[in-house]
Amino acid sequence: MAKTTFGVVQFACTDSVDHNLATATRLVREAAGAGAQVVLVQELFEDLYFCQEEKAEHFAKARTLDQEHPTLKAMRALAAELGVVLPVSLFERANQAYYNSLVMVDADGGVLGLYRKSHIPDGPGYEEKFYFRPGDTGFRVWPTRFGTIGVGICWDQWFPEAARSMALMGADALLYPTAIGSEPATGFDSMEHWRTVMRGHAGANIMPVMAANRIGVERFGESELTFYGSSFIAGQHGELVAEAGRSGEAVLTASFDLEAIRAERAAWGLFRDRRPELYGRLSTGDGSLPLR
């Protein structure tokens, strides 16, 4: 059976969109040269992670996601040239609304659709609620040339409901572009926790999961974050198949027989044995059900 090869890249961002686009392009080319057919680039890779601070001036970084969006246009051309699928993370303006969004670009450069980040964090160093509305697209999966792909964005990766929803919608693999690093309020090193949660999604849904994170130190005013890289690809049992370090650019690749994994997923019976009629508490805020 044919295998699908996934690529994940990580790099340090600068305050130059052109420079960051050039770096992403170079690394995507490297991944494609190593056989990757689907290549994941990190969250909001056009710029430094401006959500460290709340300043109105950063809203000017957002653009409408039309055919003339320069980064999207360049990534579509790159996808078509290399014949690779590219999920592209961008800061979107839609009239008076602003979203942390992702455009799924197929291997011919065509746009398959848009996903807007569902879960928006708010905490020291990660003040995204100031900039982004909660997404209104719902979770999305796309039938790309190289398999049906589900994509969440960063904070989405902590929610098993999101991963399970995409699996139920037919995803064969889950991808998470990310920007995460040091925790200014606590000093806690969340890297292993971050990886473990997503590896759990892989095992629970019996499908490959991968995350692309940025590296480097970024400063805004009094705030400083050290992004810990550690991008990875996990197999369908949650095992680490490929991993990057905490620093340094990286290009990871791994190949999976998605058809064989689909058969394995069916044989395990995890989806057959679900009891959604018992899961009503998941739709409540506190886990309680109305009195009968």
Side-chain angles (χ1 to χ4, degrees):
M1 296 181 182
K3 291 188 175 182
T4 298
T5 301
F6 292 87
V8 171
V9 306
Q10 76 172 29
F11 58 93
C13 292
T14 72
D15 60 1
S16 167
V17 174
D18 290 342
H19 183 275
N20 296 331
L21 178 58
T23 301
T25 299
R26 172 172 55 83
L27 294 177
V28 168
R29 288 186 183 280
E30 184 177 338
Q37 297 160 305
V38 180
V39 184
L40 180 63
V41 181
Q42 62 223 36
E43 179 188 21
L44 298 174
F45 67 90
E46 287 187 293
D47 205 343
L48 297 172
Y49 182 72
F50 55 87
C51 306
Q52 288 191 59
E53 62 180 3
E54 296 185 3
K55 285 193 174 180
E57 64 195 56
H58 294 309
F59 284 104
K61 301 175 186 292
R63 291 176 177 266
T64 57
L65 298 185
D66 54 35
Q67 292 186 353
E68 297 308 311
H69 188 295
T71 297
L72 180 56
K73 189 174 182 179
M75 295 297 273
R76 291 182 64 189
L78 182 64
E81 176 194 343
L82 300 176
V84 299
V85 175
L86 289 177
V88 183
S89 171
L90 298 165
F91 185 13
E92 178 193 6
R93 176 173 60 82
N95 296 323
Q96 305 303 324
Y98 295 82
Y99 297 98
N100 188 336
S101 298
L102 181 138
V103 178
M104 179 62 84
V105 178
D106 208 355
D108 61 357
V111 170
L112 294 179
L114 171 71
Y115 170 65
R116 290 168 171 162
K117 185 173 180 176
S118 300
H119 305 94
I120 309 299
D122 184 48
Y126 303 91
E127 299 175 30
E128 294 195 14
K129 281 188 168 66
F130 182 77
Y131 297 101
F132 310 129
R133 290 177 57 87
D136 57 2
T137 60
F139 304 121
R140 301 293 308 276
V141 303
W142 294 275
T144 75
R145 182 185 296 180
F146 300 112
T148 302
I149 308 299
V151 183
I153 302 174
C154 201
W155 194 232
D156 289 332
Q157 68 209 358
W158 296 93
F159 296 84
E161 298 89 347
R164 178 52 56 88
S165 294
M166 290 186 283
L168 287 169
M169 294 167 68
D172 288 314
L174 301 178
L175 280 58
Y176 293 98
T178 295
I180 188 170
S182 50
E183 300 292 339
T186 65
F188 175 65
D189 183 354
S190 63
M191 192 279 282
E192 287 294 347
H193 184 194
W194 170 76
R195 272 191 181 175
T196 299
V197 168
M198 283 181 282
R199 291 173 64 186
H201 299 334
N205 294 290
I206 312 201
M207 64 182 56
V209 170
M210 52 218 74
N213 192 21
R214 65 176 66 198
I215 55 173
V217 178
E218 298 184 17
R219 299 178 181 86
F220 281 89
E222 298 299 314
S223 179
E224 176 180 295
L225 293 180
T226 300
F227 293 94
Y228 52 57
S230 304
S231 303
F232 71 93
I233 300 174
Q236 72 270 23
H237 306 129
E239 73 280 18
L240 279 175
V241 174
E243 58 181 314
R246 286 177 172 264
S247 61
E249 289 184 357
V251 174
L252 309 176
T253 61
S255 299
F256 300 97
D257 184 334
L258 298 181
E259 186 175 345
I261 294 172
R262 194 177 305 124
E264 179 183 353
R265 189 159 56 245
W268 264 92
L270 293 176
F271 291 85
R272 177 199 65 209
D273 296 340
R274 292 180 64 251
R275 297 287 307 280
E277 72 276 13
L278 303 180
Y279 306 157
R281 286 179 170 81
L282 295 180
S283 65
T284 72
D286 62 0
S288 63
L289 293 176
L291 294 176
R292 296 182 180 180

